Amino acid sequence: MNRRAIVAANWKMNGSLALVNSMVSELNNVTLNENVEVVVCPSFPYLAAFSLASANANLVKAFSLGAQNLNEHAKGAFTGEISTSMLKEVGVNYVILGHSERRSIYNESSSLVAHKVKTALDAGLKPILCIGESEDERVAEQTETVLAAQLQPVIDEIGIERFTDVVIAYEPVWAIGTGKTASPEMAQATHQFIRKFIAKVDENIAVKLPLLYGGSVNATNCEELFAQADIDGGLIGGASLKADEFKIICSAAKG
Ligand code: PGA
């Protein structure tokens, strides 16, 4: 079946106004396959600038803006936090949630992540829900248990029907920013597990769910990863900071 594919750029705490402008002009002449959407997730201060620059440049319609986090409260005394209405006001459609850096550095639990997923959906934002195992967990053959424990709280919180607006990114923690990519076979086997896990609850939802791979994807390995049956694009960190490399990755995705 032809699922939609997504290539999402996770700039993390990197980038600049100069990168916003160069990325917008590069993406303006990117060649995308049918059914492919590109989502750029810069840091909060650059969201409005990206929105404006892409509107001015009349950026291709398959482009969307994403945030890297949100606060689960609607508004109030939460110094330093960002609400869904603020994100929506500056043109954001997607939000990365449950990234391993937020889980490990900022102690976000799977239940908080599930709550944030619900907050995003309630506001009309599409969550890119990240899940993934550590190296120790992979070695101890606990990958599937870990992924199930990260997914189940989200299913319990939002109900399976709302997964029509969710994108899942499988990101093995040991592959993030390390240059160590999961082999296409290993990534495919894990994606297949994730799809089957969802299918046990609702087959129709599982068949349509975009599953992105993330972890040291670059212009050289993207083609082979994206060719796998259950890999529907990628979540790209380091390689999304170089407009020309990111463009190659976008063009390699197939819906
Ligand atoms: P990486 O990051 O591509 O630099 O490994 C991916 C991510 O953390 O989303």
Side-chain angles (χ1 to χ4, degrees), residues 67-78:
Q68 297 174 21
N69 189 18
L70 55 72
N71 186 274
E72 64 279 18
H73 299 283
K75 63 175 182 174
F78 301 103

Side-chain angles (χ1 to χ4, degrees), residues 21-183:
N21 291 322
S22 63
M23 190 62 76
V24 168
S25 55
E26 283 288 335
L27 287 178
N28 220 5
N29 54 38
V30 69
T31 313
L32 295 178
N33 288 308
E34 220 175 293
N35 233 353
V36 175
E37 187 176 0
V38 175
V39 182
V40 178
C41 308
S43 309
F44 291 130
Y46 302 129
L47 288 168
F50 213 113
S51 217
L52 194 66
S54 53
N56 287 342
N58 238 333
L59 198 61
V60 283
K61 57 179 182 332
F63 163 83
S64 288
L65 192 58
Q68 297 174 21
N69 189 18
L70 55 72
N71 186 274
E72 64 279 18
H73 299 283
K75 63 175 182 174
F78 301 103
T79 302
E81 294 295 296
I82 309 281
S83 72
T84 52
S85 62
M86 294 170 189
L87 296 176
K88 291 201 67 176
E89 202 168 20
V90 294
V92 168
N93 292 318
Y94 284 86
V95 58
I96 298 172
L97 294 172
H99 191 279
S100 70
E101 287 147 21
R102 300 239 32 114
R103 291 179 191 264
S104 65
I105 308 171
Y106 299 102
N107 297 320
E108 290 197 8
S109 65
S110 288
S111 66
L112 175 63
V113 171
H115 194 46
K116 287 188 172 191
V117 168
K118 181 173 185 303
T119 306
L121 289 171
D122 287 349
L125 294 171
K126 293 180 192 139
I128 300 174
L129 168 65
C130 302
I131 56 173
E133 82 288 0
S134 68
E135 183 143 47
D136 287 352
E137 289 160 346
R138 166 68 63 177
V139 171
E141 298 184 0
Q142 287 169 354
T143 300
E144 295 186 356
T145 314
V146 169
L147 298 180
Q150 291 172 340
L151 279 173
Q152 194 59 50
V154 183
I155 299 173
D156 294 343
E157 175 99 24
I158 64 170
I160 199 70
E161 311 75 38
R162 299 190 85 183
F163 272 74
T164 45
D165 290 317
V166 174
V167 176
I168 293 180
Y170 167 58
E171 297 208 308
V173 179
W174 46 271
I176 296 177
T178 57
K180 279 198 240 172
T181 322
S183 67

Side-chain angles (χ1 to χ4, degrees), residues 10 12 99 171 175-177 215-217 235-238:
N10 177 9
K12 311 192 180 186
H99 191 279
E171 297 208 308
I176 296 177
S216 299
V217 178
L235 180 56
I236 322 296

